[in-house]
Amino acid sequence: MLINKAYKFRLYPTKEQEIFIAKTIGCSRFVFNRFLGQWNDTYQETGKGLTYNACSAELTQLKKEFVWLKEVDSIALQSSLKNLADSYTRFFKKQNKAPRFKSKKNQVQSYTTKETNSNIAIVDNKIKLPKLGLVRLAKSREVEGRILNATVRRNPSGKFFVSIVVKTDVQPLKKTDSSIGIDLGIMDFAFFSDGHKMDNHTFTAKMEKKLKREQRKLSRRALQAKNKGIHLLDAKNYQKQKRKVARLHERVRNQRDDFLHKLSTDIIKNHDVICIEDLNTKGMLRNHKLAKSISDVSWSAFVSKLEYKAKWYGKTIVKISRWFPSSQICSECGHQDGKKSLEIRDWTCSICHKHHDRDINASQNILAEGVRTFDLA
Ligand SMILES: [Zn+2]
């Protein structure tokens, strides 16, 4: 099956290349905002938008007026327009809100450029990018497939990254004749019907504590600057701390992403049918303090990784109805007595006397229910 796959690497541009990246990001934003303004006006007057082709022709004219637009990667400017046109199309289809103006202050600054005539290529440990030439890259794995586009990003921490999207052919994985049920947990990340659990609580709690501490320090620095009458942009200590917090967030994100990639790949490799709860159930159980926790965001990211990898590799994901009482039934005999509130972590069935760990039992019920619904289909 032909799929689009993204690779993300850290970039190490030279000072000169950094300036060029900043310029290209700025020009892409300028083009986006300028045409968004026109698009908004037209929409208000006529109820319709513009077209990509009309804007593209006008961009050519615009370059005569603002000659500095010619300095940067022209494909990046076209992509910016395409991006705007696509956002508006989605807005007209009521798939998302109307596009908004891009700001210099946005957390992540980026531009996208498309592959034509080998203008983007991997050369040893470097990537060739239009107008930039060869940029050093931390290549942690080989890029396989035909490159479609590349997005260059500057994060709030000041680091540069590139996402390369390729078209590549994937082969279905060998069948294993194994099925598994997964219960996503609050204290531990996940419980599996084969009895093991995946714990990321220690990591999460440690990082959360650290983040909170540094966040508080940031607020203190902001207050200090305010008391001294210094603007935050000029407050050195504040800015330094701000970068530190951004780096920390980035590290948490990367580690979490790594963890989820490894775990989902592992599951897809080892099982043919993967049964998992509909996440909305968890949404209702969730308490507000935990809603902010790092593990929280991970659930939906984890399920979406499982879903696309299953599609790539010929495996099946079965989602269990949100009303299925996975933690209430005895997985041994099917008996259900009384409601077991969240505090009850383990219990013994009054009929078959089997002793259950709450979450492992739930994952076993999820597996049984998933296999049942899968067989019906
Ligand atoms: Zn029982």
Side-chain angles (χ1 to χ4, degrees), residues 330 332-335 349 351-354 356:
C330 166
E332 188 73 13
C333 72
H335 177 66
C349 174
I351 303 295
C352 72
H353 307 295
K354 166 115 179 160
H356 292 295

Side-chain angles (χ1 to χ4, degrees), residues 247-311:
R247 270 200 305 274
L248 212 55
H249 270 293
E250 202 172 283
R251 221 169 82 206
V252 172
R253 238 188 349 261
N254 289 343
Q255 283 177 344
R256 185 179 59 207
D257 217 48
D258 255 19
F259 167 76
L260 296 179
H261 261 306
K262 285 197 186 110
L263 185 60
S264 54
T265 301
D266 214 47
I267 293 167
I268 294 290
K269 259 190 199 153
N270 290 309
H271 307 282
D272 295 346
V273 180
I274 297 113
C275 310
I276 197 157
E277 280 168 298
D278 196 323
L279 280 175
N280 295 328
T281 330
K282 293 289 181 184
M284 290 186 288
L285 294 177
R286 206 175 293 172
N287 87 40
H288 285 289
K289 251 187 212 155
L290 280 163
K292 279 195 212 96
S293 91
I294 299 172
S295 66
D296 214 61
V297 203
S298 306
W299 284 335
S300 56
F302 176 62
V303 174
S304 84
K305 282 185 172 57
L306 276 179
E307 282 179 320
Y308 75 71
K309 286 179 186 174
K311 217 186 255 168

Side-chain angles (χ1 to χ4, degrees), residues 218-265:
L218 184 66
S219 320
R220 261 200 321 271
R221 293 270 155 90
L223 195 68
Q224 280 164 3
K226 199 182 156 204
N227 289 340
K228 285 184 194 161
I230 305 171
H231 193 277
L232 282 186
L233 283 174
D234 303 317
K236 277 208 183 95
N237 284 333
Y238 171 81
Q239 290 298 336
K240 205 172 132 196
Q241 183 63 17
K242 199 176 155 192
R243 277 195 298 276
K244 191 171 179 184
V245 170
R247 270 200 305 274
L248 212 55
H249 270 293
E250 202 172 283
R251 221 169 82 206
V252 172
R253 238 188 349 261
N254 289 343
Q255 283 177 344
R256 185 179 59 207
D257 217 48
D258 255 19
F259 167 76
L260 296 179
H261 261 306
K262 285 197 186 110
L263 185 60
S264 54
T265 301

Side-chain angles (χ1 to χ4, degrees), residues 121-151:
I122 304 288
V123 185
D124 299 326
N125 285 326
K126 289 177 177 165
I127 180 168
K128 189 174 114 187
L129 286 165
K131 295 265 180 178
L132 287 177
L134 293 170
V135 188
R136 198 158 70 82
L137 178 85
K139 199 174 70 176
S140 44
R141 51 195 177 137
E142 290 302 321
V143 175
E144 284 158 10
R146 186 168 63 81
I147 296 177
L148 298 178
N149 63 55
T151 299

